[in-house]
Amino acid sequence: MSGGYFCMERLSFCLLLSAWSWGWAPGGAAKPKGQGYPHMNSIRIDGDITLGGLFPVHGRGAEGKACGELKKEKGIHRLEAMLFALDRINNDPDLLPNITLGARILDTCSRDTHALEQSLTFVQALIEKDSTEVRCVNGGPPIITKPERVVGVIGASGSSVSIMVANILRLFKIPQISYASTAPDLSDNSRYDFFSRVVPSDTYQAQAMVDIVKALKWNYVSTLASEGSYGESGVEAFIQKSREDGGVCVAQSVKIPREPKPGEFDKIIRRLLETSHARAVIIFANEDDIRRVLEAAKRANQTGHFIWMGSDSWGSKISPVLHLEEVAEGSVTILPKRVSVKGFDRYFSSRTLDNNRRNIWFAEFWEENFHCKLSRHALKKGSSIKKCTNRERIGQDSSYEQEGKVQFVIDAVYAMGHALHNMHKNLCPGKVGLCPRMDPVDGMELLKYIRNVNFSGIAGTPVTFNENGDAPGRYDIYQYQIRNSTPEYKVIGQWTDHLHLKVESMLWPGGGSQLPSSICSLPCKPGERKKLVKGIPCCWHCERCDGYQYQLDEFHCKHCHFNERPNENHTSCTPIPIIKLEWSSPWAVVPVFIAIVGIIATLFVVVTFVRYNDTPIVKASGRELSYVLLTGIFLCYATTFLMIAEPDLSTCSLRRIFLGLGMSISYAALLTKTNRIYRIFEQGKKSVSAPRFISPASQLVITFSLISLQLVGVCIWFIVDPSHSVIDYEDQRTTNPHFARGILKCDISDLSLICLLGYSMLLMVTCTVYAIKTRGVPETFNEAKPIGFTMYTTCIVWLAFIPIFFGTSQSAEKMYIQTTTLTISVSLSASVSLGMLYMPKVYIILFHPEQNVPKRKRSLKAVVTAATMSNKFSQKGGFRPNGEAKSELCENLETQ
């Protein structure tokens, strides 16, 4: 088969196989001699024809590991059954005479992806390797050991594993015979044309279960399935058959998750009880899930209520019902007709560490089975585990019961053997050993012989396949009964194309013989719609109108309008409650309190400055810019009330204007101040003349020019997108409609907010830069250092604001957190400016008036010279002549 065909058929396999074609393979080593030996976590047995084997020797691994604990029965018993069958065939003079069957057996670890990786070993020999560029060290040609060619595969066990492996084996035309996979999907001959199985499909099992339900005069049942191909396909087949036959209604189908959460099984029992008249429950689940369902039923005190009908995964196993006998009493189970193979019991009981070295996992089985350790180093001090003596014997020193699928493993190997025998007889008549027509074996030709085999299996039952590769359905029907306090599985019937059931032999919970009822057509609860079973108008599934749906009529659910949610029982829709930030909310009380205190403090400073307007301290601080700055601080505090007020057209418009305006006014005034200080001292380094535009009037023009840019931006925003309030139903549209809320808010998005505050941030950063540049001026000169500390602190406040504000965008409390964070950040910025720039001045004005006196007047030129010299000398041991020039300069500049 060409590589181009692979790419067209399965592109995903093409890349993987390319890697193998360059020499990477887990089995590419040379083949040593010997009958059987371990090889890269696989068993390899030499032979003229090699069969592949896939067995769940280990369970699924946890925490990222591929493999988990050893499976003694499902893994080792079944694997040894294949080895047992190979020994029998190789020792049979009438079956494949002079031809030895070999094997390559791999561990699937009960995981489909791991099995896929392992199964690439089977196709390794079919990938040609380019060795033209390979040379040995001495220059000679390389000796490349070609891997054995696998002509057919026995396995796998789980349906999901078989599906995964079948997809790759069909590409290489390698026939596959499973001994345990029963999913109906595998009957699709167009997708799994090289797949066959010696166990019947769940389609037959589903038909048998439907026949049992009808024979017991039940017409209303529930189904329960483990998540996965086996459970879901089994339930789907049962539902399909019940629809085709009619007379059986499925109350509800419940699925057990792969990874059930705590309390999941209790929830399942509660859900099954919602349709309490459907006492019969059809179960397609693994034995662990079955046991946990029974435990949940016992916890719910429902012993005797449910009548369980289990698939072949339950069968006649003890483990699912151990210590749960009363809950399981009366359960009807089904199992493919099988018998215990006595020859295998003798074979397996005779296995020891010495005579079974070909099974690389047997030593691990030995330790697990006899609770001992082969190595002294593995023994821990104080441990009760002993060292293995190799004198232990299976069945004598440990319990032993043959695993249920052993018969089918042997039949699968024999089916492959008979197909090869018939193929050899037709293609190589009279030849001893393999002839050229069977070297290599053609997979398509072998598949035809497999589908045509007809022989008596190890248990005496005929082994045949239909056109889809399925074995005929033959089942024993069991009931779990308690007689004289002794629980047992009793055979109550058989199914082979049709049902033979001994109803009179059945016992039900409590030991009674009266048939329990499980009938159809219970009314649906409010908020549930009837989903009619096709062809059975008297029966329906009750499906709850979930999410934001409500019950429109008896048969339909409909989604509520975007601004509505269903009522508690989903029978109608009600308006979704509208929420906003209330004044009484703790999220509003804190910022409002801060704002009120800030406004009172701001007004107190303004009143003080107005009262002492002509004093030197007030003059030195730059009266005009101070009042502008105090106005900005006041607006910052006032913004809190706009942010908490109920959003409407006016409130939203004012938010757009004043949220950024207060900060712009504050930082524009501070930027103008720091810029003036910077220019004065930069000019002082060059000359004693004053720089331009440092008069109070010039400073006001510069300040209002900076502020006007903010207002222009807001005006453009109003023109492009007029302000309005909106009700956001998506932000808190929770999965549970009960918690859904509509949020009344202004149409200011996070991006718009960034743009709105962005200009203020730019002013703040620029002001901070100037504050850093003027950090070397005399200590108390015109507020240089207080402004610097103010800006540093403000930057820290807003750096903390950003992650809090945007980090809570997915929170359910987003509206409250973001509004509170924004208002408090704005108020803190204002408080920093107010506290560092004005409170010290107010303190001096009110409590130390002796310091609030005028200095002697000098010319502007003299003042600038003194201030400059003061700056130059300030770095020398604290010597600061003419320190009075600090405030004097401002007073002179203010009068210019």
Side-chain angles (χ1 to χ4, degrees), residues 62-97:
E63 299 178 356
K65 295 180 180 179
C67 303
E69 76 286 350
L70 182 77
K71 288 186 172 289
K72 295 194 295 183
E73 287 80 18
K74 285 187 177 181
I76 299 299
H77 283 205
R78 294 178 183 181
L79 185 154
E80 287 292 344
M82 180 175 178
L83 299 178
F84 169 73
L86 289 175
D87 290 345
R88 282 174 56 97
I89 293 174
N90 289 334
N91 294 326
D92 191 340
D94 299 323
L95 186 61
L96 289 174

Tab-separated table of all heavy atoms in Angstrom, residues 62-97:
chain	number	residue	atom	x	y	z
A	62	ALA	N	-3.508	6.901	36.185
A	62	ALA	CA	-3.971	8.176	36.741
A	62	ALA	C	-2.825	9.168	36.768
A	62	ALA	O	-1.658	8.801	36.683
A	62	ALA	CB	-4.517	7.968	38.156
A	63	GLU	N	-3.171	10.449	36.870
A	63	GLU	CA	-2.189	11.534	37.001
A	63	GLU	C	-1.191	11.522	35.851
A	63	GLU	O	0.013	11.639	36.045
A	63	GLU	CB	-1.457	11.435	38.344
A	63	GLU	CG	-2.385	11.550	39.545
A	63	GLU	CD	-1.632	11.396	40.847
A	63	GLU	OE1	-0.425	11.124	40.787
A	63	GLU	OE2	-2.265	11.548	41.900
A	64	GLY	N	-1.699	11.366	34.628
A	64	GLY	CA	-0.849	11.449	33.456
A	64	GLY	C	-0.126	10.170	33.086
A	64	GLY	O	0.541	10.112	32.048
A	65	LYS	N	-0.219	9.125	33.903
A	65	LYS	CA	0.440	7.868	33.594
A	65	LYS	C	-0.420	7.072	32.614
A	65	LYS	O	-1.639	7.072	32.681
A	65	LYS	CB	0.672	7.059	34.865
A	65	LYS	CG	1.632	7.719	35.845
A	65	LYS	CD	1.828	6.855	37.090
A	65	LYS	CE	2.786	7.525	38.070
A	65	LYS	NZ	2.958	6.714	39.297
A	66	ALA	N	0.246	6.369	31.695
A	66	ALA	CA	-0.488	5.604	30.687
A	66	ALA	C	-1.177	4.402	31.311
A	66	ALA	O	-2.304	4.067	30.952
A	66	ALA	CB	0.460	5.168	29.570
A	67	CYS	N	-0.495	3.719	32.233
A	67	CYS	CA	-1.017	2.466	32.767
A	67	CYS	C	-1.167	2.542	34.279
A	67	CYS	O	-0.421	3.246	34.958
A	67	CYS	CB	-0.094	1.300	32.401
A	67	CYS	SG	0.162	1.120	30.618
A	68	GLY	N	-2.149	1.767	34.769
A	68	GLY	CA	-2.406	1.743	36.201
A	68	GLY	C	-2.169	0.377	36.803
A	68	GLY	O	-1.173	-0.290	36.512
A	69	GLU	N	-3.119	-0.068	37.616
A	69	GLU	CA	-2.936	-1.318	38.350
A	69	GLU	C	-3.125	-2.526	37.422
A	69	GLU	O	-3.772	-2.446	36.379
A	69	GLU	CB	-3.923	-1.382	39.524
A	69	GLU	CG	-5.359	-1.716	39.138
A	69	GLU	CD	-6.102	-0.587	38.463
A	69	GLU	OE1	-5.541	0.540	38.467
A	69	GLU	OE2	-7.208	-0.814	37.928
A	70	LEU	N	-2.561	-3.636	37.837
A	70	LEU	CA	-2.676	-4.883	37.074
A	70	LEU	C	-4.112	-5.405	37.158
A	70	LEU	O	-4.738	-5.381	38.211
A	70	LEU	CB	-1.710	-5.930	37.635
A	70	LEU	CG	-1.691	-7.281	36.906
A	70	LEU	CD1	-0.899	-7.160	35.623
A	70	LEU	CD2	-1.096	-8.366	37.797
A	71	LYS	N	-4.613	-5.909	36.027
A	71	LYS	CA	-5.930	-6.543	35.988
A	71	LYS	C	-5.730	-8.051	35.899
A	71	LYS	O	-5.361	-8.571	34.840
A	71	LYS	CB	-6.743	-6.016	34.803
A	71	LYS	CG	-7.234	-4.588	34.983
A	71	LYS	CD	-8.154	-4.186	33.852
A	71	LYS	CE	-8.797	-2.848	34.124
A	71	LYS	NZ	-9.785	-2.909	35.189
A	72	LYS	N	-5.953	-8.721	37.009
A	72	LYS	CA	-5.640	-10.155	37.068
A	72	LYS	C	-6.554	-10.969	36.161
A	72	LYS	O	-6.069	-11.828	35.415
A	72	LYS	CB	-5.754	-10.652	38.516
A	72	LYS	CG	-4.741	-10.047	39.464
A	72	LYS	CD	-4.664	-10.821	40.779
A	72	LYS	CE	-5.979	-10.725	41.535
A	72	LYS	NZ	-5.892	-11.420	42.845
A	73	GLU	N	-7.854	-10.719	36.229
A	73	GLU	CA	-8.777	-11.543	35.458
A	73	GLU	C	-8.891	-11.049	34.015
A	73	GLU	O	-8.603	-11.777	33.070
A	73	GLU	CB	-10.167	-11.557	36.118
A	73	GLU	CG	-10.232	-12.370	37.396
A	73	GLU	CD	-9.676	-11.597	38.597
A	73	GLU	OE1	-9.565	-10.352	38.496
A	73	GLU	OE2	-9.339	-12.223	39.614
A	74	LYS	N	-9.306	-9.792	33.846
A	74	LYS	CA	-9.508	-9.275	32.492
A	74	LYS	C	-8.214	-9.229	31.691
A	74	LYS	O	-8.245	-9.320	30.462
A	74	LYS	CB	-10.113	-7.874	32.560
A	74	LYS	CG	-11.583	-7.851	32.916
A	74	LYS	CD	-12.122	-6.434	32.781
A	74	LYS	CE	-13.624	-6.393	33.067
A	74	LYS	NZ	-14.181	-5.031	32.921
A	75	GLY	N	-7.109	-9.057	32.382
A	75	GLY	CA	-5.833	-8.964	31.674
A	75	GLY	C	-5.110	-10.288	31.564
A	75	GLY	O	-4.960	-10.851	30.472
A	76	ILE	N	-4.656	-10.826	32.693
A	76	ILE	CA	-3.807	-12.024	32.691
A	76	ILE	C	-4.584	-13.258	32.246
A	76	ILE	O	-4.090	-14.052	31.427
A	76	ILE	CB	-3.182	-12.235	34.085
A	76	ILE	CG1	-2.296	-11.037	34.447
A	76	ILE	CG2	-2.380	-13.529	34.109
A	76	ILE	CD1	-1.133	-10.810	33.502
A	77	HIS	N	-5.794	-13.473	32.752
A	77	HIS	CA	-6.567	-14.651	32.343
A	77	HIS	C	-6.774	-14.671	30.833
A	77	HIS	O	-6.577	-15.699	30.166
A	77	HIS	CB	-7.921	-14.665	33.055
A	77	HIS	CG	-7.842	-15.098	34.486
A	77	HIS	ND1	-8.908	-15.658	35.157
A	77	HIS	CD2	-6.841	-15.064	35.394
A	77	HIS	CE1	-8.555	-15.934	36.409
A	77	HIS	NE2	-7.299	-15.559	36.571
A	78	ARG	N	-7.170	-13.545	30.280
A	78	ARG	CA	-7.449	-13.494	28.841
A	78	ARG	C	-6.170	-13.652	28.028
A	78	ARG	O	-6.168	-14.326	27.002
A	78	ARG	CB	-8.142	-12.179	28.499
A	78	ARG	CG	-9.526	-12.054	29.123
A	78	ARG	CD	-10.168	-10.716	28.792
A	78	ARG	NE	-11.476	-10.564	29.440
A	78	ARG	CZ	-12.251	-9.499	29.302
A	78	ARG	NH1	-11.857	-8.482	28.542
A	78	ARG	NH2	-13.428	-9.442	29.923
A	79	LEU	N	-5.095	-13.027	28.481
A	79	LEU	CA	-3.819	-13.160	27.775
A	79	LEU	C	-3.357	-14.616	27.775
A	79	LEU	O	-2.933	-15.156	26.739
A	79	LEU	CB	-2.773	-12.244	28.442
A	79	LEU	CG	-1.394	-12.134	27.815
A	79	LEU	CD1	-0.783	-10.786	28.176
A	79	LEU	CD2	-0.445	-13.229	28.274
A	80	GLU	N	-3.430	-15.248	28.933
A	80	GLU	CA	-3.022	-16.655	29.017
A	80	GLU	C	-3.939	-17.544	28.187
A	80	GLU	O	-3.511	-18.595	27.688
A	80	GLU	CB	-3.026	-17.103	30.481
A	80	GLU	CG	-1.884	-16.550	31.314
A	80	GLU	CD	-0.530	-17.108	30.921
A	80	GLU	OE1	-0.487	-18.128	30.221
A	80	GLU	OE2	0.490	-16.507	31.311
A	81	ALA	N	-5.204	-17.132	28.020
A	81	ALA	CA	-6.105	-17.898	27.166
A	81	ALA	C	-5.617	-17.901	25.730
A	81	ALA	O	-5.718	-18.920	25.022
A	81	ALA	CB	-7.514	-17.327	27.253
A	82	MET	N	-5.066	-16.786	25.261
A	82	MET	CA	-4.513	-16.750	23.904
A	82	MET	C	-3.288	-17.646	23.797
A	82	MET	O	-3.128	-18.395	22.826
A	82	MET	CB	-4.153	-15.309	23.516
A	82	MET	CG	-3.573	-15.202	22.116
A	82	MET	SD	-3.286	-13.487	21.593
A	82	MET	CE	-2.575	-13.767	19.962
A	83	LEU	N	-2.420	-17.579	24.808
A	83	LEU	CA	-1.241	-18.445	24.792
A	83	LEU	C	-1.651	-19.919	24.844
A	83	LEU	O	-1.054	-20.771	24.166
A	83	LEU	CB	-0.330	-18.100	25.971
A	83	LEU	CG	0.235	-16.672	26.003
A	83	LEU	CD1	1.085	-16.477	27.260
A	83	LEU	CD2	1.065	-16.396	24.759
A	84	PHE	N	-2.669	-20.212	25.629
A	84	PHE	CA	-3.196	-21.576	25.736
A	84	PHE	C	-3.706	-22.053	24.376
A	84	PHE	O	-3.423	-23.180	23.939
A	84	PHE	CB	-4.306	-21.598	26.783
A	84	PHE	CG	-5.111	-22.867	26.831
A	84	PHE	CD1	-4.574	-24.035	27.362
A	84	PHE	CD2	-6.413	-22.896	26.338
A	84	PHE	CE1	-5.329	-25.206	27.420
A	84	PHE	CE2	-7.168	-24.055	26.381
A	84	PHE	CZ	-6.622	-25.220	26.926
A	85	ALA	N	-4.461	-21.162	23.690
A	85	ALA	CA	-4.990	-21.528	22.386
A	85	ALA	C	-3.880	-21.720	21.361
A	85	ALA	O	-3.931	-22.645	20.528
A	85	ALA	CB	-5.972	-20.456	21.914
A	86	LEU	N	-2.862	-20.876	21.395
A	86	LEU	CA	-1.733	-21.031	20.468
A	86	LEU	C	-1.020	-22.363	20.692
A	86	LEU	O	-0.648	-23.055	19.727
A	86	LEU	CB	-0.750	-19.863	20.644
A	86	LEU	CG	-1.214	-18.491	20.150
A	86	LEU	CD1	-0.186	-17.428	20.502
A	86	LEU	CD2	-1.447	-18.499	18.639
A	87	ASP	N	-0.823	-22.724	21.955
A	87	ASP	CA	-0.174	-24.011	22.249
A	87	ASP	C	-0.994	-25.167	21.695
A	87	ASP	O	-0.446	-26.120	21.109
A	87	ASP	CB	0.000	-24.168	23.768
A	87	ASP	CG	1.034	-23.211	24.336
A	87	ASP	OD1	1.806	-22.639	23.550
A	87	ASP	OD2	1.054	-23.016	25.567
A	88	ARG	N	-2.314	-25.094	21.859
A	88	ARG	CA	-3.178	-26.175	21.373
A	88	ARG	C	-3.118	-26.288	19.850
A	88	ARG	O	-3.032	-27.388	19.297
A	88	ARG	CB	-4.618	-25.938	21.826
A	88	ARG	CG	-4.890	-26.297	23.290
A	88	ARG	CD	-6.304	-25.899	23.672
A	88	ARG	NE	-7.305	-26.499	22.803
A	88	ARG	CZ	-7.994	-27.609	23.088
A	88	ARG	NH1	-7.790	-28.235	24.231
A	88	ARG	NH2	-8.901	-28.076	22.237
A	89	ILE	N	-3.167	-25.147	19.181
A	89	ILE	CA	-3.140	-25.173	17.713
A	89	ILE	C	-1.791	-25.684	17.212
A	89	ILE	O	-1.715	-26.505	16.286
A	89	ILE	CB	-3.441	-23.770	17.151
A	89	ILE	CG1	-4.888	-23.375	17.472
A	89	ILE	CG2	-3.187	-23.711	15.657
A	89	ILE	CD1	-5.246	-21.962	17.098
A	90	ASN	N	-0.691	-25.186	17.824
A	90	ASN	CA	0.646	-25.607	17.380
A	90	ASN	C	0.901	-27.086	17.663
A	90	ASN	O	1.743	-27.709	17.007
A	90	ASN	CB	1.720	-24.748	18.053
A	90	ASN	CG	1.727	-23.323	17.523
A	90	ASN	OD1	1.308	-23.072	16.391
A	90	ASN	ND2	2.200	-22.388	18.330
A	91	ASN	N	0.188	-27.651	18.618
A	91	ASN	CA	0.345	-29.083	18.942
A	91	ASN	C	-0.705	-29.957	18.262
A	91	ASN	O	-0.726	-31.171	18.468
A	91	ASN	CB	0.269	-29.286	20.460
A	91	ASN	CG	1.445	-28.646	21.182
A	91	ASN	OD1	2.556	-28.616	20.654
A	91	ASN	ND2	1.207	-28.131	22.380
A	92	ASP	N	-1.583	-29.326	17.466
A	92	ASP	CA	-2.639	-30.066	16.774
A	92	ASP	C	-2.139	-30.482	15.389
A	92	ASP	O	-1.891	-29.622	14.524
A	92	ASP	CB	-3.887	-29.196	16.652
A	92	ASP	CG	-5.104	-29.979	16.177
A	92	ASP	OD1	-4.925	-31.062	15.583
A	92	ASP	OD2	-6.233	-29.498	16.397
A	93	PRO	N	-1.995	-31.781	15.121
A	93	PRO	CA	-1.477	-32.209	13.812
A	93	PRO	C	-2.467	-31.986	12.675
A	93	PRO	O	-2.067	-32.017	11.501
A	93	PRO	CB	-1.206	-33.700	14.022
A	93	PRO	CG	-2.122	-34.105	15.124
A	93	PRO	CD	-2.266	-32.911	16.014
A	94	ASP	N	-3.716	-31.759	12.994
A	94	ASP	CA	-4.720	-31.597	11.949
A	94	ASP	C	-5.018	-30.144	11.611
A	94	ASP	O	-5.671	-29.866	10.605
A	94	ASP	CB	-6.024	-32.288	12.383
A	94	ASP	CG	-5.834	-33.776	12.599
A	94	ASP	OD1	-5.066	-34.390	11.832
A	94	ASP	OD2	-6.450	-34.314	13.542
A	95	LEU	N	-4.590	-29.247	12.447
A	95	LEU	CA	-4.855	-27.825	12.212
A	95	LEU	C	-3.532	-27.110	11.967
A	95	LEU	O	-2.647	-27.093	12.833
A	95	LEU	CB	-5.574	-27.213	13.419
A	95	LEU	CG	-6.057	-25.766	13.274
A	95	LEU	CD1	-7.060	-25.644	12.141
A	95	LEU	CD2	-6.689	-25.286	14.589
A	96	LEU	N	-3.384	-26.568	10.755
A	96	LEU	CA	-2.144	-25.909	10.329
A	96	LEU	C	-0.934	-26.813	10.565
A	96	LEU	O	0.014	-26.449	11.281
A	96	LEU	CB	-1.960	-24.580	11.077
A	96	LEU	CG	-2.910	-23.441	10.691
A	96	LEU	CD1	-2.703	-22.248	11.627
A	96	LEU	CD2	-2.678	-23.010	9.250
A	97	PRO	N	-0.939	-27.994	9.977
A	97	PRO	CA	0.213	-28.883	10.161
A	97	PRO	C	1.478	-28.275	9.559
A	97	PRO	O	1.425	-27.642	8.499
A	97	PRO	CB	-0.214	-30.159	9.426
A	97	PRO	CG	-1.227	-29.706	8.430
A	97	PRO	CD	-1.958	-28.565	9.064
